Amino acid sequence: MNAHLQPTGSAYFLTKETDSPERHTLSVLVDNEPGILARIAGLFTARGYNIESLTVSETEHEKNLSRITVVVVATPKVLVQIKLQLERLVPVHRVHDLTAEGAALERELALVKVAGTGEHRVETLRLADAFRAQVVDASTESFVFEITGKPSKIEQFIALMVPLGLVEVVRTGLAAISRGPQGM
């Protein structure tokens, strides 16, 4: 066994030495009970870990279970610590690193408000159509678009709307699920 992967009394030996942070999507199955989100957020806060995206919803009403999707950017060592600490929380049933498990489906929803008149309105509608964004509200001075897709698609759409009169953006955060027949 490699010397850098030898047990040292901590979980840090589980990963190779590297300092480059990586973006990972974690899926956490928890009991749907008061305070669980605060406990998980507190775990991140207490250790100085940043959460890039966080979504929570009840997924199995009969079993009283919720799924929390957390996107973090961390070094491999810190990521191992995050997963181990999440797994130790009592209402947590499972923690899956969807990024490490491979080819997960990731989607996000955004509402994008764009103001403009004349040629800007025409160009805004043309681009929205190209991105398959739906008009959910329109006035003579602005549009609100609903767009879903990968975060990179949404960011590209937002970037194109800036010179056309971008006013405001609201994003849901990432929803992700692994491919294949097995569940969490």
Side-chain angles (χ1 to χ4, degrees):
M1 193 182 214
N2 295 334
H4 67 281
L5 295 179
Q6 291 292 323
T8 61
S10 92
Y12 287 116
F13 77 91
L14 296 173
T15 61
K16 292 181 182 179
E17 191 70 35
T18 180
D19 291 328
S20 59
E22 303 169 352
R23 180 184 178 276
H24 281 257
T25 303
L26 305 177
S27 186
V28 185
L29 190 65
V30 300
D31 288 335
N32 186 12
E33 62 183 42
I36 183 58
L37 181 58
R39 288 180 65 196
I40 288 176
L43 182 148
F44 280 81
T45 302
R47 288 154 184 86
Y49 305 150
N50 186 43
I51 296 173
E52 282 206 351
S53 173
L54 175 71
T55 57
V56 183
S57 183
E58 185 176 65
T59 56
E60 297 182 45
H61 184 69
E62 302 80 33
K63 295 181 183 177
N64 201 33
L65 296 176
S66 289
R67 186 172 182 146
I68 300 173
T69 304
V70 184
V71 178
V72 297
V73 175
T75 63
K77 284 186 176 184
V78 169
L79 190 62
V80 166
Q81 284 300 110
I82 290 171
K83 290 189 286 190
L84 289 172
Q85 290 166 0
L86 284 170
E87 288 169 348
R88 280 188 236 150
L89 291 176
V90 172
V92 173
H93 293 276
R94 285 187 285 287
V95 177
H96 285 270
D97 183 346
L98 296 175
T99 304
E101 292 172 10
L105 297 171
E106 298 182 344
R107 296 294 183 266
E108 186 175 6
L109 175 125
L111 296 174
V112 180
K113 186 185 294 184
V114 182
T117 57
E119 286 300 313
H120 282 293
R121 286 179 67 80
V122 174
E123 182 65 8
T124 300
L125 285 172
R126 188 187 68 72
L127 287 169
D129 187 51
F131 278 82
R132 295 187 177 139
Q134 301 296 311
V135 177
V136 292
D137 185 58
S139 72
T140 57
E141 298 163 347
S142 68
F143 292 108
V144 175
F145 298 102
E146 176 185 291
I147 182 169
T148 60
K150 293 181 181 181
S152 59
K153 172 188 173 184
I154 292 172
E155 288 167 17
Q156 187 179 16
F157 180 72
I158 291 167
L160 290 170
M161 291 298 116
V162 169
L164 297 174
L166 179 71
V167 174
E168 187 175 10
V169 177
V170 179
R171 296 173 77 161
T172 61
L174 197 67
I177 194 166
S178 62
R179 292 181 186 264
Q182 63 279 10
M184 215 172 138

